Amino acid sequence: MKIFCSRANPTTGSVEWVEEDEHYDYHQEIARSSYADMLHDKDRVFKPMADAAVKIVEENGFSDKIKVINKHSTEVTVGPEGDMPCRANILVTELFDTELIGEGALPSYEHAHRHLVEENCEAVPHRATVYAQLVESRRMWSWNKLFPIRVQTSLGEQVIVPPVDLERCPGAPSVCDIQLNQVSPAEFTVLSDVLPIFSVDFSKQVSSSAACHSRQFEPLASGRAQVVLSWWDIEMDPEGKIKCTMAPFWAHSDPEEMQWRDHWMQCVYFLPQEEPVVQGSALCLVAHHDDYCIWYSLQRTSPENNERVREMRPVCDCQAHLLWNRPRFGEINDQDRTDRYVQALRTVLKPDSVCLCVSDGSLMSMLAHHLGAEQVFTIESSAASHKLMRKIFKANHLEDKINIIEKRPELLTNEDLKGRKVSLLLGEPFFTTSLLPWHNLYFWYVRTTVDQHLGPGAVVMPQAASLHAVVVEFRDLWRIRSPCGDCEGFDVHIMDDMIKRALDFRESREAEPHPLWEYPCRSLSEPWQILAFDFQQLVPLQPLRAEGTVELRRPGQSHAAVLWMEYHLTPECMLSTGLLEPVDPEGGCCWNPHCKQAVYFFSPAPDPRVPLGSPQTVSYVVEFHPDTGDITMEFRLEDTN
């Protein structure tokens, strides 16, 4: 039976009804769950999904010893007629996320101790400890605050400053979880030792009540406290002989034997405000938590033990953190990127230019004004972006210089433009609804929609875009798609088969977004251009199609094709959302740190245990469908012999 699903199309900007299989949501959940990554984690306590658990138990001959209860633990009943005949004396769980408590570990443990287990039960894992390290990092701080942006004009330097309430805003309440091992130590200054912040003994009654934990320390260096790096470890046994740690390499006891993970990473927390610290002058780092979240503050004196949490969980009140995610903050704060746009704008702006800017929460309109445009309009479709941009314009005394139009582009009228024709249509392009690189082709649809408002000889910037690809071997990311077969002596091929069926349903034919600066890979082919999109022209009525074959130039396991967009601002100026530099002779790749690239995993996934065979090529068919805005693709590995 088919069902209809409502979907907002990020490329065309329209809301569509799409026919899907009735099991669509189920397949999506399985395909994107990263269970394979979890099973490959040799340190990890494994609990398979209930749907596959019964079959796996049967397959491994434990049906008479293991009973699978397909319920949330808080719904399990104990007693003669219950799910369990009596309370358990061993509590085995895996309730953790990167933040440790973000998946509800504390309330779940609290309930289990009260209702499901004996008073002096054993718990596996036995104990967890959260660690933190205070650092100064301009790069990471740029993910949370708007920096002053400098614009070189014919009249001298102009500076775009952030509004006061944006500077004071504590930021987004959610944790920033990343592969911290991919952040170079040169990009942060360590201000404290690694501090054990708090521990939870899972064999005893656990409380989910709000609390704070303070650790006094002496700064190792003077600087500006901005960011707290945090991770945790778990001790599986009471003696702490079996330990699983999330520590980054510089804090790991054995960096050469580190287990790669994508389901558990490390946390970056931003202090509400940066604070000066002086080497050797004692301070207190305070971790606050409720039942699901952790946040940090820096204090001069230590709070009393078990004191009620004084600081409320940080919540954005400036609108910027609701509109811009952390990579977007980093992108806006990238001065080199701003300079590229300034360079391009200088070549297309004239003293009588009437500019219309189309991007979500973009500062392009301010660049155009400072560089001498006669009149500047900017479309902000959402109330949040409208409110934020008005605030930024006011902080820079431009509220009467730049006209904000709060409506969707297709509703634009001559009156909105004060009867003027647009001579320069600008976009970064960036839209908050975009997930995959080509979703920002929404700019092309907007350009087509507003064509009637463009004057003769109007310039569109960017002038064009192109879709590029490269075949890569991942150092670690391949694990999320690799079958497990056997996990600690258990045959789990049933789980592998279920994931494969879900992938075959749809996901194996689609690319998924990943920030590849966090996931090192090696290029096996030379990068190549697949499709070109001419923004000077309207969106075509017919599909754009490309097919061909690419030869692999370097030996290795061909895990995926990586795709990205390049925007040609002018014939001389280009911006890439993917590779920033030519691939080095060994295949090393330098990826744009502000963008997610699209990864198309080859199916079936290459098995790293199988020796490399004959040379391979990759054949591809890629098609852009202008009626839906979709890009469909298929890549196939083929032996050359």
Side-chain angles (χ1 to χ4, degrees):
M1 187 172 113
K2 297 290 186 178
I3 60 174
F4 285 95
C5 299
S6 174
R7 184 185 73 169
N9 188 315
T11 307
T12 63
S14 61
V15 176
E16 304 166 345
W17 288 95
V18 182
E19 187 181 65
E20 299 286 5
D21 185 275
E22 62 180 322
H23 301 298
Y24 172 69
D25 287 340
Y26 167 80
H27 286 297
Q28 290 249 105
E29 183 68 22
I30 298 298
R32 296 180 179 178
S33 60
S34 297
Y35 284 113
D37 173 34
M38 298 180 187
L39 293 181
H40 282 297
D41 187 344
K42 300 301 182 183
D43 294 342
R44 195 176 191 272
V45 178
F46 165 55
K47 181 184 182 304
M49 295 187 307
D51 290 351
V54 173
K55 293 180 181 178
I56 292 176
V57 167
E58 290 175 355
E59 186 85 10
N60 288 274
F62 288 99
S63 294
D64 60 334
K65 299 183 183 299
I66 299 175
K67 175 184 178 182
V68 177
I69 304 170
N70 190 7
K71 289 183 177 180
H72 191 282
S73 65
T74 57
E75 299 172 349
V76 171
T77 58
V78 177
E81 304 298 324
D83 300 309
M84 297 168 55
C86 61
R87 285 177 176 251
N89 57 14
I90 299 179
L91 177 59
V92 182
T93 62
E94 194 288 272
L95 298 167
F96 315 121
D97 68 347
T98 295
E99 201 172 14
L100 184 70
I101 66 172
E103 291 184 0
L106 296 182
S108 296
Y109 271 112
E110 186 175 43
H111 177 271
H113 277 287
R114 288 180 177 172
H115 302 285
L116 303 179
V117 299
E118 296 176 355
E119 184 174 354
N120 294 312
C121 74
E122 290 291 341
V124 181
H126 182 78
R127 180 186 297 106
T129 302
V130 173
Y131 300 87
Q133 189 169 33
L134 187 67
V135 303
E136 175 181 352
S137 172
R138 178 176 175 82
R139 179 186 178 187
M140 287 185 272
W141 194 237
S142 76
W143 301 340
N144 189 55
K145 299 289 185 180
L146 179 61
F147 295 168
I149 296 169
R150 304 183 183 282
V151 184
Q152 301 297 330
T153 76
S154 59
L155 300 177
E157 183 180 78
Q158 300 288 331
V159 181
I160 299 173
V161 299
V164 172
D165 62 342
L166 200 156
E167 289 187 300
R168 293 175 179 169
C169 181
S174 59
V175 66
C176 177
D177 55 338
I178 65 169
Q179 294 283 359
L180 197 53
N181 289 313
Q182 299 310 312
V183 177
S184 168
E187 293 188 301
F188 60 90
T189 301
V190 170
L191 299 180
S192 79
D193 289 318
V194 175
L195 306 172
I197 297 297
F198 68 90
S199 295
V200 183
D201 187 335
F202 298 124
S203 68
K204 299 177 181 178
Q205 181 62 58
V206 172
S207 172
S208 62
S209 299
C212 68
H213 309 271
S214 176
R215 289 292 178 269
Q216 190 174 59
F217 71 98
E218 292 188 359
L220 301 176
S222 298
R224 303 194 68 80
Q226 297 169 328
V227 172
V228 176
L229 309 180
S230 183
W231 57 89
W232 49 265
D233 64 29
I234 46 178
E235 297 171 359
M236 296 298 183
D237 60 313
E239 292 76 29
K241 295 180 180 178
I242 305 171
K243 184 178 286 190
C244 178
T245 180
M246 306 304 119
F249 68 86
W250 66 86
H252 202 283
S253 58
D254 189 0
E256 296 300 320
E257 296 298 321
M258 287 181 62
Q259 169 72 52
W260 181 86
R261 302 178 176 91
D262 199 43
H263 49 278
W264 293 332
M265 295 184 280
Q266 294 80 36
C267 299
V268 174
Y269 296 94
F270 303 98
L271 293 177
Q273 298 296 326
E274 63 177 8
E275 299 186 35
V277 299
V278 178
Q279 182 177 3
S281 181
L283 292 169
C284 290
L285 185 62
V286 184
H288 312 260
H289 74 78
D290 53 24
D291 49 351
Y292 283 90
C293 301
I294 299 174
W295 62 97
Y296 285 87
S297 66
L298 200 60
Q299 299 184 8
R300 303 295 169 180
T301 59
S302 177
E304 296 294 328
N305 288 337
N306 300 320
E307 176 185 319
R308 182 180 176 184
V309 178
R310 299 183 197 173
E311 294 210 14
M312 297 296 292
R313 181 183 175 202
V315 176
C316 172
D317 56 13
C318 75
Q319 300 289 318
H321 301 89
L322 304 179
L323 184 67
W324 300 332
N325 59 21
R326 283 154 180 145
R328 177 60 172 163
F329 265 96
E331 186 172 55
I332 292 174
N333 284 322
D334 186 337
Q335 186 65 51
D336 289 340
R337 181 176 178 275
T338 298
D339 292 343
R340 286 274 190 96
Y341 278 106
V342 169
Q343 175 188 349
L345 277 168
R346 283 201 187 104
T347 66
V348 296
L349 271 173
K350 299 177 180 177
D352 61 349
S353 289
V354 176
C355 300
L356 176 61
C357 301
V358 184
S359 284
D360 288 346
S362 173
L363 305 186
M364 286 287 287
S365 58
M366 303 178 73
L367 300 185
H369 170 78
H370 285 312
L371 291 171
E374 179 184 326
Q375 195 161 16
V376 181
F377 300 89
T378 182
I379 293 180
E380 300 294 344
S381 301
S382 73
S385 61
H386 181 272
K387 184 175 180 180
L388 173 62
M389 297 313 296
R390 187 169 296 280
K391 194 181 300 184
I392 294 175
F393 294 162
K394 184 175 182 180
N396 289 274
H397 311 290
L398 297 177
E399 63 267 41
D400 298 326
K401 308 289 186 182
I402 300 175
N403 302 275
I404 303 180
I405 302 170
E406 187 183 359
K407 58 171 57 176
R408 292 188 57 80
E410 62 268 22
L411 302 178
L412 189 68
T413 66
N414 288 331
E415 289 74 20
D416 295 322
L417 297 172
K418 300 182 179 180
R420 303 293 300 272
K421 287 292 186 180
V422 173
S423 58
L424 177 58
L425 180 65
L426 293 176
E428 296 197 35
F430 170 85
F431 302 97
T432 56
T433 54
S434 299
L435 295 175
L436 291 165
W438 48 86
H439 287 167
N440 284 322
L441 285 174
Y442 176 55
F443 176 77
W444 201 7
Y445 287 82
V446 173
R447 178 261 181 274
T448 301
T449 295
V450 303
D451 184 66
Q452 61 181 309
H453 301 292
L454 304 185
V459 174
V460 178
M461 193 184 100
Q463 296 181 1
S466 48
L467 178 66
H468 296 252
V470 68
V471 177
V472 302
E473 175 185 53
F474 284 112
R475 191 169 73 191
D476 296 298
L477 189 62
W478 60 268
R479 300 174 192 272
I480 68 174
R481 285 291 186 91
S482 179
C484 300
D486 180 273
C487 181
E488 300 299 328
F490 279 85
D491 180 355
V492 294
H493 78 271
I494 291 171
M495 176 71 76
D496 291 337
D497 293 343
M498 183 170 63
I499 293 173
K500 185 179 185 304
R501 286 194 300 272
L503 288 168
D504 288 344
F505 173 76
R506 166 170 290 187
E507 296 294 322
S508 64
R509 303 193 301 273
E510 294 184 349
E512 56 189 54
H514 290 282
L516 291 191
W517 73 266
E518 294 186 53
Y519 303 104
C521 61
R522 192 170 64 90
S523 165
L524 302 185
S525 73
E526 294 305 313
W528 80 96
Q529 178 177 310
I530 298 179
L531 291 173
F533 312 94
D534 185 357
F535 296 160
Q536 299 283 29
Q537 305 298 321
L538 304 184
V539 174
L541 299 178
Q542 301 301 318
L544 302 178
R545 178 184 172 91
E547 57 183 299
T549 302
V550 175
E551 182 180 346
L552 302 189
R553 300 296 182 91
R554 301 176 184 87
Q557 295 283 356
S558 304
H559 292 134
V562 176
L563 300 97
W564 68 94
M565 297 290 289
E566 294 184 357
Y567 292 100
H568 308 270
L569 304 182
T570 66
E572 294 77 28
C573 188
M574 183 275 294
L575 281 174
S576 172
T577 67
L579 287 175
L580 296 183
E581 300 174 1
V583 173
D584 69 30
E586 288 73 39
C589 301
C590 177
W591 298 103
N592 188 320
H594 311 309
C595 303
K596 289 185 178 181
Q597 292 74 39
V599 179
Y600 181 105
F601 287 100
F602 297 136
S603 181
D607 189 334
R609 296 165 292 189
V610 177
L612 295 175
S614 59
Q616 292 181 314
T617 61
V618 172
S619 63
Y620 65 91
V621 177
V622 179
E623 192 164 10
F624 169 68
H625 305 272
D627 55 336
T628 63
D630 293 333
I631 290 184
T632 57
M633 62 190 68
E634 184 175 8
F635 291 82
R636 289 187 180 275
L637 280 170
E638 299 175 350
D639 291 334
T640 55
N641 294 338

